[in-house]
Structure formats: structure tokens, C-alpha cells
């Protein structure tokens, strides 16, 4: 049985209905327009949308594949890849953070424990901190390291 | 009068014969019992993701070899799938079969190493390790025949594979399959029914299924806890949709079950290899892809495979140039380590080593 | 100047000593030749143990190599026989480090305290007819007392090293050694009852039927207990290489480490020697009065091979399982053996208190029966724990649907 990839419009409808005032608009990035496979949400509502995605019986996303962060110079994007093992579908959720200093997002640690090391790594290498994470420390580099190496302006 | 005791904090690693690489655990012991665990890594962090932004798509294949350095073929496969999705490339049939064949051979080699070192950590002083490595050496010789390298193979390219298999590869592969039957039967007979192995690993460090899914654990560790989720079956890639194989699962979630799942997966991988040999047909081994690939600007891809340790995925973002704008590696070993604390607290020092061995992590992947 | 030993002198029984004494006594005054002959015997024993330790290390490495389907040392000398010499040279030329926080005096004397008991044990073991250096009439008690010093040495090593891994190893080592003393002592009591004396020479002459047949349970318990006391796999928690790296001797380097290793390998040989004397008939065999030493060495070789074989095959037990093995399995077995032997000897011995060969065979038969019964009972008692029913509960090979 092949796992389905849920389309952006599908998800936008459901999440728009389930979690009010959480959708953000997709927008033209410096690198060019992307496809419609993802759901864009506001950065402050990440935890609410995530808990809706996990608890809604039709969506039931119980497995967090990965959290990635991308540095687009003027803003950062954080991408969540989710899978539902029971319903056998996957989804891509994206959120956008403007600016480069003092970035923070609500953490999804309490929904999916798998976010533990990945969020710490994003803090360590990209500088986006996650509020609500019990152990927001650097993971790959040592405490006291200056800077966030994976950013585009480091080296 | 109660005895006054004091908990002791010890660093296990980073230099230790049994931590599977440079991995450090700060453990607090009460006698032999573990009270607290804190995993610390980053000792092998080489900045793979940053380096990838400086190299073109074909050069990055060599970077991916060194992620999980005991299963390089599968890393290559995951990366090439991601690039092919990014650039919209179609892989020819023969290349798909060659990829499947080498990936499954690599899975056998990786599991043999995992099993061998698991038993070494139990204290057998090397006998099952040597038996497992005897077979693994033959697989590495086959890889050398294919692409010239044993460990960091760089065999696959976006669009297919690098070389076609030479003429004497196929008889050598048949010979290996024949020898492996008897050799592997020896290992199984020596290990699977040994009472000391059972007493030391049964019921130790149990991982319940809901915690495993919540912690994004994948691969044999997840399948030993009761789920039958295997990306080769759920989202087939390369030639897996034409292969008939089973997915071993166990419901106990203890050390023995993780070990048993890997032993059974080797049998299934050999089945797939035999089917590949039957079904493969002559043809081109690489799509007509330029050496310097320029995908469309703004394209993104998430290419995932079922690696020997779990779900290995590459998230690639392109900006139209010759290198990816961002390459993120979703490494199974790092995420499997999320459950370390749950698995270790409450057990003993001797169990800690065995549990880490049963998780089968590889620091090249964890640290990247 | 013909010096003659008094007939009440304990050394009078030892043929080898008497020969050397009388030979040297032709040249030197009697007092001095007494000492010189003693030194010559000691030279023989000490060198025997230490050279034997070196030889055994080579044998073990080659054997384990063969068990691993590989060759083992083969560079130095024919079949790699000079490998122990190469190792010795390497260790002698290494820097002798003492950790900064270590207790210097204790740290320095540990190797000596470890080697001494090993060599002292050989003083009472007869390796041919009438050749034990000191034919004590409490030989077995002496052996037990001397081998217990090893536990002190291990703890000294762990404590003085100022290293947490060493402390782990030392604590485990002491726990293991103390736990395994008790079954070992009980099993030896069975031998003493049958032989009627604690002197090793008497035990050898009493073995018209080798005692491993007459006392199978005692032999098994002594074998397992000695493996644990020697810190050999499957009981080597004190120096588990994959867990606490080297355990109690982690901080030792150079000559001190060489001596500790010599003590460890030498202990295997001397424990095998004791086992041979007590259970396998010592130097007895055809042409024993000429070739007694050859039979002795051959039997030690067999036991050493068994030790290496077990080491290459089994994984290691966890510390709590080890202690459970000693207290809940070996100790009851040895007590049952003691009772059974006592009853048999009480009923079978004749008026003078000796047992003849048919009595010994009879006892062997009964004891084998008792042994089988015990193993059956214990086997059913622990079966559920060790090997639960079925392969894995709920394990399936789920067949995914083919596309």
C-alpha cells in the first residue's frame, strides 16, 4: 500500500476549519515559487496546529519525520514533515520567521518526543530557539560556542 | 543502621571500546544501577550540511558516503532519490535493480556488523564477531569489484549508478550467496539459542510501541516494538515494488527482540538479492543527466529510504544553482537516541552497554 | 660432609629436595646446603609458574585465534612461540605510570601481592611422586587460605588507582570472589572426606579411581568456582573489557602490568594443577614413578584447554546473575554433594577407616545418579526464566501486500 502525500489545499481547508487564525499565505521566495504540497501556518500557532493535526481523527499524524530549518537571508523557514501511520498519509507543514535575531517558535516536544534532539540542533546550528522545550541547549557544539554555523552569514 | 551511599557520576566514553564510536554518556550510578543518563555527542560533527552547500550535486554523493559509514550504499541511494525528485529525472530499469541489489547487500553487511558488535558487547570476546565479519568481508570484496571501494563506495549517482557490474561480479555474487547460507546458519545456531544471551537480553530495556512512535523511532528498533512500518513496503522506491519479502516484527521491544529482528532482516535481504539477480535485464545504467545538475529554482524534495538503521531522508532545497541551497539529513541514529534515557534508567551498567548495542547507532550519522 | 636429613623433617619426603641437598652437601657445609637446596627448589617452582604463564598466554592466543577462524600470533618464532617474549620486552620498556591521586605505596605493591599467592600455591602441589616441596598435612586448607589473598589484591588495585572504572571492577571482583569461596570450600570438603586427609599427597594416593568420577558434583562446582575466582569468562565481570575497559588493572602499565598478567595466567595454571591433583589423579598414570611429571603436565594441559575453550564460547553473565549462580545453584549443589558423600563414606568404610577401589566405584555410581537428579531438578526450576516457551511471543513475519 503506497503512502499518500496530502496536498496543500486539502490540509489548508481542514486546518483552517479546525484551528482558527492559524494560516499564513504562501509567498514568493527569493529562490523562486515552490509547489503546492505544503501547508503554511503562522509561527505563533505552531503548537496549536500541531496538536490539532495529531488529535484530529481524520488526520491523526502520530509520527514526526523531521524538522528542518532553512535560512533565506531575510527570513527563516521551519519545515515539519509528518506521517500518519494509521491513516498512511504524509504532510509537509511550513512556517516562516522574519528577521534574523531573537527568533523563537513554540516547541512540539510535548506532542512528539522525537522533536527533542532536532529542535536542539536547530537552535545550535541555526539560532531559532523553541519555547517550551525542557532542555534547550546546544547539542552538536559546546556551550560557549559563538554563533550559529549553518546560517548563511557564518563563513 | 542504614548504609550511607552516594551516587557516582561517571563518563562513559568518548573513548571506550563499546560506545560504537565517539559517543559520550554522562551516567549517575548508585552502585551498579543507573539513576540518570545524559547523552552528549558532537565529537564527530564535520559540518556535512554546510559542506553540501559548496559542492555540486554529484560531488555530494561522496559526502553522503561518510554519514553512516557502515552502510554507504544506502546513504547514496537516499540522496540520489532526493536529487532525482528535485530535478525530475527518471532512472532506467537496470539501474533500479542494481541499486536495490547493492542496497540490500549493504543492509546485510551493516546488520552483520550490528549483530557482531552486539554480541561482542555481551562479552563473548570476539567469536561471533569474527564469524559475522567473515561474511561481511566477502560482501565488501563484492563492492570492491563493483566500484573499487569497500567502505565509502560512492557507487550511485543521481540518475542511476556509476558503473555497470563487471562480468565476473555475477558468478562471485552467486558464490557468496551459496557460502553465506552455511556461514549464516552457523552464526544463528551459535547465538540464537544461547542461554546466557537470552538471560542477559530478554526483558531488558523494553520500549513500548506508543513511546517508540512518539519519539520518531524507526527501523529495526521500531519493528521490534510491534509496528510493521517499513518504507520499502509503504512507499516503494527503486525496484522494491517488484520484490517479494516479509517484514519481521516482534512485540516485546526488549534487547533480544531488536537483535532478533536484525537477524531475520538478513534473511529477507538475501531473498531480495536473489530476486534481483533473476529479474535484472541488460540496459542503460544511468539516465542522460548532465554532470552538473541544475534543478529548477525553488524546487524542494524529501527523499527517504529505509536504511539499515531506520528512516534516512534528505531534504533538499534548490535555488537553481549547481549546489543545493540547503541539504538537511534526517538521520535515524540521532532520532533513535531520543529514547536513550527511557531505555537505560533503572537498569544496570552491564545492561547499558548491551542496550546501546541493540539500538545500533552509528556516530557518523548522529553527528554528521 | 654427608648431610642427611632427619627423618622427622618434613622435607625428607620430598625426593627432589633430598637429592639436591645431598648433592650440594658434598661441597658445602650442611646449614648452607639446606638453604641452597631450598633456593634451588624455589627457583624451579617460581620459574615454572612464570614461564608457564608466558607459555599459556601464547597457547590461549593461538587457541582463541583458531576458535575465531583466524591464525593467532605467528610472527615471532616458529608458530609465534616467542610472542610472550616479545610482549615481555614491550612491557618492560614501557613507561611505568602512577596516577597523580593514587595511593603510591599500595599501588606499587599490588603486583607483588597478586603474584605471590599464585606461586605459593605450588609449594604444596606434588608434580611427581614425592616431589611436593612442603608436604603439609593441611595442604588443602593452605591452598584455600592462600588463594583468598587474591581478593585483597584486587581491592587494593581498584582502590589505590583513583579511578572510577577501577573501583567498579574492584567492587565486582571482591563480590564475586567472596561469593564463590563458599561453594568451592564445600566441594573440597567432599574430597577431603573421601580421601580421609587434607594432605595433597594423600589425596593423590587415595585416587585409585579419579575423584572427578567419584565426586562429579564437586568437580563441576570446583571447576565453575575456580573459573569465577580466576576472573575468566563467563565470570569475568571484574575486568570486563567491553564495559569497564580493564576493570581493576586499568591504571597499570609496564612491569606492574606484566606481573599482573603473569599472575592471571599463572593462576590458571596453578588452579589447574590443584584441580588435577585433587580430582584427576595428579601424577598417576602408567609408569608413574618415571613419567609422573609428564602425566601431570598433560592433565594440566587438558584443563587449560577447557578454560580457553569456555572463554572463547560464552558471553558474560551480569553481576547479579553471577552472584545468583553462586548462591542459588553452586552452593546447594555442593551441600548436597557433601551430605551424600558423608553418608556414603559412613556406610562404606571398613574398620580401619579406609575405602577400597570397589567402594569408590560404588560411590561414583551413586554420585552420578545424584548429580543427574540435581541437574534435572534445577533445570526444571529455572527453565522458565532462561528459555521462555516459544521463540518470541508475538513475533511475526508480516507479509506486506505485493503491489
Amino acid at each position: 500500500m503506497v503512502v499518500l502525500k496530502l496536498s496543500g489545499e486539502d490540509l489548508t481547508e481542514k486546518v483552517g476549519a479546525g484551528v482558527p487564525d492559524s494560516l499564513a499565505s504562501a509567498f514568493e521566495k527569493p529562490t523562486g515559487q515552490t509547489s503546492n504540497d505544503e501547508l503554511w501556518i503562522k509561527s505563533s500557532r505552531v503548537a496549536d496546529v500541531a496538536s490539532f493535526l495529531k488529535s484530529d481523527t481524520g488526520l491523526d499524524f502520530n509520527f514526526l519525520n523531521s524538522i528542518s530549518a532553512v535560512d533565506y537571508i531575510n527570513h527563516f523557514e521551519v519545515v515539519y514533515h509528518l506521517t500518519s501511520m494509521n491513516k498512511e498519509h504524509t504532510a509537509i507543514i511550513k512556517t516562516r520567521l522574519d528577521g534574523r535575531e531573537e527568533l523563537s517558535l513554540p516547541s512540539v516536544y510535548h506532542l512528539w518526543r522525537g522533536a527533542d534532539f532536532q529542535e536542539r540542533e536547530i537552535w545550535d546550528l541555526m539560532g531559532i530557539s523553541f519555547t517550551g522545550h525542557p532542555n534547550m541547549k546546544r547539542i552538536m557544539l559546546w556551550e560557549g560556542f559563538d554563533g550559529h554555523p549553518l546560517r548563511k552569514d557564518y563563513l | 543502621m542504614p548504609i550511607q551511599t552516594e551516587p557516582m557520576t561517571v563518563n562513559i566514553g568518548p573513548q571506550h571500546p563499546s560506545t560504537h564510536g565517539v559517543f559520550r554518556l554522562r551516567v549517575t550510578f548508585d552502585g551498579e544501577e543507573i539513576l540518570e543518563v545524559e547523552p552528549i555527542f558532537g565529537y564527530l560533527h564535520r559540518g556535512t550540511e554546510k559542506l553540501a552547500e559548496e559542492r555540486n550535486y554529484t560531488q555530494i554523493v561522496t559526502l553522503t558516503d561518510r554519514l553512516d559509514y557502515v552502510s554507504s550504499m544506502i546513504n547514496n541511494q537516499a540522496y540520489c532519490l532526493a536529487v532525482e525528485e528535485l530535478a525530475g529525472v527518471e532512472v532506467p530499469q537496470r539501474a533500479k535493480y542494481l541499486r536495490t541489489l547493492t542496497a540490500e547487500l549493504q543492509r546485510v553487511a551493516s546488520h552483520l556488523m550490528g549483530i557482531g558488535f552486539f554480541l561482542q558487547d555481551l562479552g563473548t570476546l570476539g567469536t561471533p564477531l569474527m564469524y559475522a565479519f567473515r561474511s561481511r568481508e566477502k560482501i565488501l570484496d563484492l563492492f570492491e569489484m563493483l566500484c573499487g571501494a569497500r567502505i565509502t563506495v560512492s557507487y550511485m549517482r543521481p540518475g542511476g549508478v556509476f558503473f555497470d557490474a563487471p562480468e565476473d561480479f555475477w558468478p562471485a555474487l552467486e558464490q557468496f550467496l551459496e557460502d553465506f547460507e552455511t556461514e549464516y546458519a552457523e552464526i544463528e545456531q551459535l547465538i540464537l539459542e544461547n542461554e546466557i544471551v537470552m538471560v542477559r537480553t530478554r526483558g531488558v530495556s523494553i520500549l513500548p510501541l506508543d513511546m517508540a512512535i512518539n519519539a520518531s523511532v524507526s527501523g529495526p528498533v521500531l519493528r521490534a516494538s510491534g509496528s510493521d512500518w517499513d518504507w520499502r513496503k509503504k512507499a516503494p522506491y527503486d525496484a522494491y515494488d517488484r520484490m517479494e519479502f516479509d517484514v519481521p516484527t516482534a512485540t516485546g521491544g526488549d534487547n533480544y527482540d531488536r537483535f532478533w529482528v536484525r537477524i531475520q532482516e538478513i534473511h529477507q535481504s538475501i531473498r531480495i538479492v536473489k530476486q534481483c539477480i533473476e529479474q535484472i535485464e541488460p540496459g542503460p545504467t544511468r539516465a542522460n543527466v548532465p554532470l552538473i545538475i541544475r534543478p529548477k529554482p525553488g524546487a524542494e524534495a524529501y527523499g527517504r529510504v529505509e536504511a539499515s538503521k531506520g528512516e534516512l531522508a534528505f531534504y533538499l532545497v534548490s535555488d537553481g544553482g549547481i549546489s543545493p541551497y540547503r541539504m538537511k539529513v534526517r538521520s535515524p541514529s540521532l532520532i533513535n537516541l531520543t529514547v536513550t534515557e527511557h531505555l537505560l534508567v533503572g537498569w544496570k551498567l552491564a545492561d547499558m552497554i548491551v542496550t546501546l548495542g541493540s539500538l545500533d547507532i552509528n556516530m557518523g550519522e548522529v553527528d554528521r | 660432609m654427608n648431610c642427611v636429613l632427619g627423618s622427622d623433617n618434613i622435607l625428607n619426603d620430598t625426593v627432589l629436595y633430598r637429592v639436591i641437598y645431598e648433592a650440594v652437601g658434598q661441597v658445602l657445609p650442611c646449614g648452607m646446603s639446606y638453604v641452597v637446596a631450598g633456593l634451588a627448589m624455589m627457583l624451579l617452582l617460581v620459574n615454572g609458574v612464570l614461564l608457564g604463564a608466558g607459555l599459556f598466554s601464547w597457547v590461549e592466543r593461538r587457541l582463541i585465534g583458531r576458535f575465531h577462524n583466524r591464525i593467532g600470533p605467528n610472527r615471532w618464532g616458529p608458530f609465534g612461540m616467542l610472542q610472550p617474549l616479545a610482549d615481555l620486552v614491550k612491557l618492560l620498556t614501557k613507561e611505568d605510570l602512577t596516577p597523580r591521586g593514587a595511593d603510591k605505596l599500595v599501588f606499587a605493591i599490588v603486583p607483588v601481592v597478586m603474584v605471590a599467592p599464585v606461586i605459593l600455591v605450588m609449594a604444596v602441589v606434588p608434580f611427581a611422586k614425592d616431589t611436593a616441596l612442603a608436604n603439609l598435612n593441611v595442604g588443602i586448607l593452605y591452598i584455600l587460605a592462600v588463594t583468598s589473598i587474591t581478593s585483597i589484591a584486587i581491592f587494593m588495585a581498584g582502590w589505590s588507582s583513583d579511578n572510577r572504572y577501577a573501583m567498579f571492577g574492584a567492587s565486582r571482583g571482591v563480590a564475586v570472589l567472596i561469593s564463590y569461596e563458599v561453594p568451592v570450600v564445600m566441594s573440597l570438603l567432599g574430597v577431603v572426606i573421601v580421601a580421609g586427609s587434607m594432605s595433597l599427597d594423600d589425596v593423590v594416593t587415595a585416587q585409585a579411581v579419579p575423584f572427578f568420577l567419584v565426586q562429579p558434583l564437586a568437580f563441576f562446582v570446583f571447576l565453575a568456582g575456580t573459573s569465577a575466582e580466576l576472573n575468566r569468562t563467563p565470570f569475568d565481570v571484574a575486568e570486563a573489557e567491553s564495559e569497564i575497559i580493564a576493570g581493576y588493572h586499568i591504571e597499570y602499565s609496564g612491569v606492574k602490568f606484566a606481573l599482573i598478567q603473569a599472575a592471571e595466567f599463572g593462576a590458571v595454571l596453578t588452579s589447574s594443577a590443584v584441580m588435577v591433583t585433587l580430582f584427576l589423579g595428579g601424577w598417576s598414570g602408567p609408569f608413574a614413578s618415571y613419567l609422573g611429571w609428564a602425566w601431570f603436565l598433560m592433565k594440566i594441559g587438558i584443563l587449560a584447554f577447557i578454560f580457553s575453550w569456555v572463554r572463547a564460547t560464552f558471553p558474560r553473565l551480569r553481576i547479579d546473575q553471577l552472584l545468583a549462580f553462586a548462591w542459588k545453584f553452586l552452593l546447594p549443589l555442593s551441600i548436597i554433594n557433601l551430605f551424600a558423600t558423608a553418608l556414603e563414606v559412613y556406610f562404606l568404610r571398613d574398620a580401619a577407616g579406609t575405602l577400597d577401589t570397589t567402594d569408590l566405584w560404588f560411590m561414583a555410581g551413586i554420585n552420578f545418579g545424584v548429580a543427574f537428579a540435581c541437574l534435572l531438578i534445577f533445570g526444571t526450576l529455572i527453565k522458565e526464566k532462561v528459555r521462555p516457551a516459544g521463540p518470541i511471543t508475538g513475533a511475526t513475519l508480516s507479509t506486506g501486500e505485493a503491489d
Side-chain angles (χ1 to χ4, degrees):
Chain A
M1 174 134 157
V2 180
V3 163
L4 261 178
K5 210 154 121 168
L6 288 181
S7 75
E9 290 123 13
D10 228 359
L11 282 170
T12 317
E13 260 181 65
K14 295 205 177 114
V15 172
V19 189
D21 188 33
S22 57
L23 300 175
S25 53
F27 64 100
E28 175 96 23
K29 289 192 294 220
T31 56
Q33 188 61 37
T34 64
S35 65
N36 308 343
D37 276 344
E38 57 257 359
L39 166 71
W40 284 92
I41 56 177
K42 292 190 185 153
S43 61
S44 54
R45 305 303 305 276
V46 164
D48 302 325
V49 173
S51 102
F52 172 73
L53 287 169
K54 185 176 177 199
S55 53
D56 179 75
T57 44
L59 294 173
D60 193 20
F61 284 107
N62 59 353
F63 191 84
L64 172 72
N65 291 90
S66 88
I67 312 179
S68 329
V70 192
D71 178 357
Y72 285 110
I73 318 284
N74 293 327
H75 67 278
F76 281 78
E77 256 178 44
V78 177
V79 183
Y80 294 78
H81 286 88
L82 299 167
T83 300
S84 166
M85 289 194 164
N86 304 326
K87 302 270 183 266
E88 300 206 353
H89 50 223
T90 61
I92 306 179
I93 318 289
K94 286 195 184 179
T95 178
R96 173 187 166 207
L97 291 162
D98 288 312
R100 293 185 75 80
E101 304 301 323
E102 310 264 335
L103 302 162
S104 87
L105 270 183
S107 160
V108 295
Y109 176 87
H110 299 285
L111 292 167
W112 298 295
R113 283 287 301 277
D116 188 356
F117 291 155
Q118 306 195 69
E119 292 183 346
R120 277 177 69 184
E121 191 186 337
I122 294 179
W123 158 243
D124 188 4
L125 299 176
M126 282 285 197
I128 303 174
S129 78
F130 287 82
T131 54
H133 192 284
N135 194 14
M136 192 91 272
K137 285 196 316 198
R138 284 186 183 264
I139 190 173
M140 295 293 168
L141 304 167
W142 58 96
E143 292 295 325
F145 188 87
D146 187 22
H148 300 283
L150 212 46
R151 291 189 170 193
K152 290 290 180 186
D153 56 356
Y154 190 97
L155 278 188
Chain B
M1 190 170 78
I3 303 178
Q4 187 195 20
T5 55
E6 204 179 281
M8 185 162 72
T9 306
V10 178
N11 266 322
I12 309 283
Q15 285 165 323
H16 192 280
S18 298
T19 51
H20 296 267
V22 273
F23 179 52
R24 181 169 151 210
L25 270 178
R26 191 182 286 139
V27 189
T28 307
F29 285 106
D30 175 20
E32 289 251 343
E33 193 178 319
I34 298 177
L35 297 175
E36 275 171 34
V37 162
E38 186 194 337
I40 302 171
F41 25 82
Y43 290 93
L44 201 50
H45 181 65
R46 295 154 289 174
T48 308
E49 301 181 352
K50 186 94 179 174
L51 284 173
E53 295 170 10
E54 305 290 323
R55 286 162 172 60
N56 66 47
Y57 286 93
T58 315
Q59 285 172 327
I60 296 177
V61 174
T62 56
L63 277 182
T64 58
D65 273 341
R66 285 137 176 95
L67 287 173
D68 176 2
Y69 40 79
V70 309
S71 70
S72 323
M73 287 284 188
I74 302 180
N75 303 343
N76 288 349
Q77 193 182 29
Y79 173 70
C80 292
L81 281 174
V83 174
E84 282 145 21
E85 192 183 321
L86 196 69
V89 172
E90 179 66 36
V91 178
Q93 216 39 342
R94 187 176 168 86
K96 285 191 182 173
Y97 277 107
L98 278 174
R99 277 192 187 172
T100 311
L101 176 78
T102 48
E104 290 305 311
L105 278 179
Q106 182 71 285
R107 192 185 308 270
V108 172
S110 169
H111 280 326
L112 279 174
M113 183 148 169
I115 293 172
F117 279 106
F118 176 76
L119 291 161
Q120 173 78 354
D121 291 341
L122 274 173
T124 54
L125 224 83
T127 313
L129 181 67
M130 291 293 142
Y131 287 7
F133 266 58
R134 180 177 56 170
S135 309
R136 183 169 179 258
E137 281 299 308
K138 299 199 178 136
I139 297 182
L140 295 182
D141 285 341
L142 286 172
F143 285 165
E144 197 180 4
M145 222 183 279
L146 267 183
C147 59
R150 285 155 45 101
I151 305 273
T152 53
V153 283
S154 297
Y155 178 53
M156 304 186 190
R157 296 280 181 275
V161 295
F162 190 25
F163 285 136
D164 196 355
E167 279 308 315
D168 44 356
F169 175 74
W170 301 103
L173 183 60
E174 298 276 348
Q175 179 66 38
F176 161 72
L177 287 174
E178 216 179 280
D179 292 338
F180 187 70
E181 298 255 355
T182 40
E183 284 172 5
Y184 196 55
E186 268 179 34
I187 299 179
E188 276 189 308
Q189 184 198 33
L190 178 64
I191 274 48
L192 269 183
E193 300 284 305
N194 186 317
E195 282 92 359
I196 299 187
V197 170
M198 291 216 180
V199 149
R200 285 227 28 208
T201 54
R202 285 252 208 190
V204 175
S205 294
I206 297 184
L207 182 63
L209 180 62
D210 49 350
M211 164 160 283
I213 295 183
N214 197 296
S216 301
V217 165
S218 53
V221 182
L222 177 66
R223 290 195 280 277
S225 290
S227 160
D228 66 346
W229 193 268
D230 184 334
W231 287 108
R232 293 174 294 172
K233 288 276 188 198
K234 300 292 180 186
Y237 49 92
D238 281 347
Y240 283 107
D241 44 359
R242 300 173 200 207
M243 299 288 148
E244 240 183 70
F245 60 101
D246 296 326
V247 175
T249 58
T251 51
D254 54 19
N255 282 347
Y256 188 79
D257 288 339
R258 290 189 273 274
F259 164 68
W260 182 87
V261 166
R262 288 198 181 94
I263 290 199
Q264 299 306 318
E265 283 194 0
I266 293 185
H267 283 299
Q268 301 303 318
S269 293
I270 296 290
R271 243 174 107 180
I272 298 179
V273 168
K274 289 184 177 157
Q275 287 171 53
C276 279
I277 299 180
E278 284 168 26
Q279 296 180 16
I280 194 168
E281 295 185 0
T285 52
R286 194 168 176 192
N288 223 346
V289 173
L291 207 52
I292 312 279
I293 305 177
R294 282 171 213 270
K296 282 204 318 269
E300 286 182 8
Y302 186 78
R304 66 160 72 90
V305 298
E306 180 73 27
S308 51
K309 302 184 163 57
E311 173 191 341
L312 173 67
F314 282 80
Y315 174 61
L316 286 171
V317 177
S318 152
D319 62 347
I322 58 173
S323 333
Y325 188 77
R326 169 87 166 102
M327 174 175 101
K328 146 100 188 180
V329 182
R330 186 259 189 224
S331 73
S333 300
L334 175 66
I335 298 179
N336 285 355
L337 278 178
T338 315
V339 291
T340 321
E341 205 171 314
H342 169 84
L343 284 180
L344 289 183
V345 168
W347 296 97
K348 301 206 164 41
L349 165 65
D351 299 321
M352 170 179 76
I353 305 285
V354 177
T355 305
L356 283 178
S358 80
L359 279 181
D360 197 10
I361 55 176
N362 184 289
M363 292 319 283
E365 242 179 0
V366 172
D367 291 337
R368 279 160 283 140
Chain C
M1 290 228 251
N2 285 331
C3 304
V4 174
L5 283 170
S7 60
D8 61 336
N9 193 333
I10 190 176
L11 293 165
N12 194 18
D13 297 332
T14 310
V15 168
L16 195 57
Y17 182 84
R18 211 172 49 223
V19 166
I20 301 178
Y21 179 67
E22 283 165 9
V24 175
Q26 314 275 347
V27 189
L28 294 171
C30 284
M32 262 177 71
S33 60
Y34 193 71
V35 171
V36 167
L39 285 176
M41 281 289 284
M42 284 197 281
L43 190 73
L44 187 65
L45 286 176
V46 170
N47 276 335
V49 170
L50 291 179
L51 289 177
L55 183 69
F56 181 63
S57 75
W58 170 78
V59 166
E60 170 152 284
R61 281 173 71 173
R62 276 205 76 102
L63 269 179
I64 291 190
R66 291 313 300 155
F67 285 127
H68 286 180
N69 202 15
R70 58 184 173 91
I71 303 182
N74 65 340
R75 292 277 172 208
W76 285 104
F79 296 108
M81 274 206 258
L82 295 180
Q83 183 70 34
L85 187 63
D87 286 338
L88 184 65
V89 171
K90 175 197 83 169
L91 284 171
L92 284 177
T93 55
K94 275 202 179 201
E95 183 182 355
D96 197 350
L97 293 166
T98 308
R100 204 180 333 147
D103 191 340
K104 294 196 180 1
L105 179 61
V106 175
F107 191 81
I109 64 174
V110 157
V112 176
V113 180
M114 278 203 80
V115 172
V118 171
I119 303 179
L120 282 175
V121 163
M122 286 307 280
V124 289
V125 171
F127 48 89
K129 198 165 162 55
D130 294 327
T131 50
L133 175 57
N135 191 9
L136 297 174
N137 59 353
V138 287
I140 292 183
L141 188 62
Y142 169 82
I143 289 177
L144 289 171
V146 160
T147 51
S148 312
I149 299 179
T150 319
S151 58
I152 303 180
I154 291 182
F155 196 71
M156 282 164 65
W159 185 257
S160 66
S161 291
D162 190 35
N163 182 326
R164 288 175 186 174
Y165 286 128
M167 259 321 290
F168 264 118
S171 320
R172 287 174 168 188
V174 168
V176 166
L177 281 171
I178 294 179
S179 302
Y180 280 85
E181 274 302 318
V182 185
V184 162
V185 169
M186 292 286 180
S187 67
L188 285 185
L189 285 179
V191 168
V192 169
I193 290 178
V194 175
S197 146
M198 282 207 270
S199 152
L200 284 164
D201 227 7
D202 291 346
V203 169
V204 173
T205 40
Q207 289 189 49
V209 177
F211 279 171
F212 77 98
L213 292 176
V214 178
Q215 300 260 284
L217 275 179
F219 181 60
F220 170 67
V221 170
F222 192 76
L223 191 62
T226 313
S227 283
E229 299 209 351
L230 296 172
N231 285 326
R232 288 191 72 90
T233 318
F235 306 109
D236 64 347
V237 273
E239 49 168 59
E241 196 228 309
S242 59
E243 296 164 20
I244 48 177
I245 308 168
Y248 61 91
H249 56 75
I250 195 173
E251 293 283 357
Y252 284 91
S253 59
V255 183
K256 297 192 180 115
F257 182 68
L259 272 179
I260 293 181
Q261 289 295 86
E264 210 175 290
F265 284 118
V268 174
L269 288 181
T270 53
S271 299
S272 303
V274 167
M275 219 183 303
V276 162
T277 314
L278 294 174
F279 289 99
L280 290 170
W283 43 262
S284 59
F287 308 109
S289 35
Y290 303 107
L291 289 179
W293 55 271
W295 292 115
F296 186 73
L297 289 175
M298 192 193 80
K299 291 173 191 175
I300 291 184
I302 295 175
L303 276 179
F305 175 78
I306 294 180
F307 276 124
S308 287
W309 195 6
V310 168
R311 185 180 193 199
T313 314
F314 288 111
R316 184 183 302 133
L317 284 172
R318 211 170 56 196
I319 181 77
D320 56 334
Q321 294 161 349
L322 253 182
L323 299 179
F325 185 72
W327 291 106
K328 295 187 200 169
F329 183 63
L330 290 184
L331 187 60
L333 277 184
S334 58
I335 292 181
I336 292 174
N337 179 56
L338 189 60
F339 273 122
T341 312
L343 285 172
E344 287 158 19
V345 170
Y346 181 69
F347 285 116
L348 285 176
R349 70 178 169 190
D350 54 17
T354 55
L355 296 160
D356 56 343
T357 317
T358 43
D359 291 334
L360 287 176
W361 280 113
F362 198 53
M363 281 175 66
I366 302 180
N367 276 335
F368 261 100
V370 170
F372 276 129
C374 281
L375 287 176
L376 270 177
I377 297 174
F378 275 100
T380 37
L381 281 178
I382 62 172
K383 187 171 173 180
E384 255 319 295
K385 222 166 157 223
V386 166
R387 197 189 295 235
I392 316 255
T393 47
T396 53
L397 292 178
S398 67
T399 317
E401 293 133 24
D403 258 346

